[in-house]
Amino acid sequence: MLYAIISEDVNNSLEWRMAARPDHLARLEKLRDEGRLVLAGPHPAVDAENPGDAGFSGSLVVAEFDDLESAQAWADADPYVIAGVYAKVTVKPFKKVLP
């Protein structure tokens, strides 16, 4: 089943984000390579594709997991969680309708 992992950053998280980014991306690339990743990306803190120093306000990952517990465990082990980038992470089932 698909799960949405919706994360919200702490204020001024850009420096921590950039430091943990390589490990964060490696985990996402593993999901992609396994054919389980639907989409992933950050939410710019301002209305711009490249927010510069404004950084990001959070992230969204939609991926396939066996169950809610395994999706939550994957989210809890995210390098951004460990680095203190995220203030809050919500994991919930997701039903893709379109496209």
Side-chain angles (χ1 to χ4, degrees), residues 10-96:
V10 298
N11 291 331
N12 302 311
S13 64
L14 186 58
E15 184 178 331
W16 295 333
R17 216 177 222 283
M18 297 312 292
R21 188 169 189 262
D23 292 336
H24 173 79
L25 289 178
R27 294 178 82 235
L28 291 170
E29 289 166 352
K30 184 175 186 297
L31 284 179
R32 179 201 61 206
D33 293 348
E34 293 170 351
R36 297 170 44 204
L37 184 64
V38 174
L39 65 90
H43 301 285
V46 295
D47 190 12
E49 189 169 322
N50 182 355
D53 291 340
F56 301 92
S57 64
S59 301
L60 171 64
V61 174
V62 177
E64 185 178 335
F65 293 92
D66 290 336
D67 52 39
L68 181 59
E69 292 78 20
S70 60
Q72 185 68 59
W74 187 91
D76 291 344
D78 192 301
Y80 284 171
V81 170
I82 295 163
V85 172
Y86 293 149
K88 179 180 177 183
V89 177
T90 303
V91 180
K92 51 182 150 178
F94 179 80
K95 181 179 176 184
K96 183 179 177 184

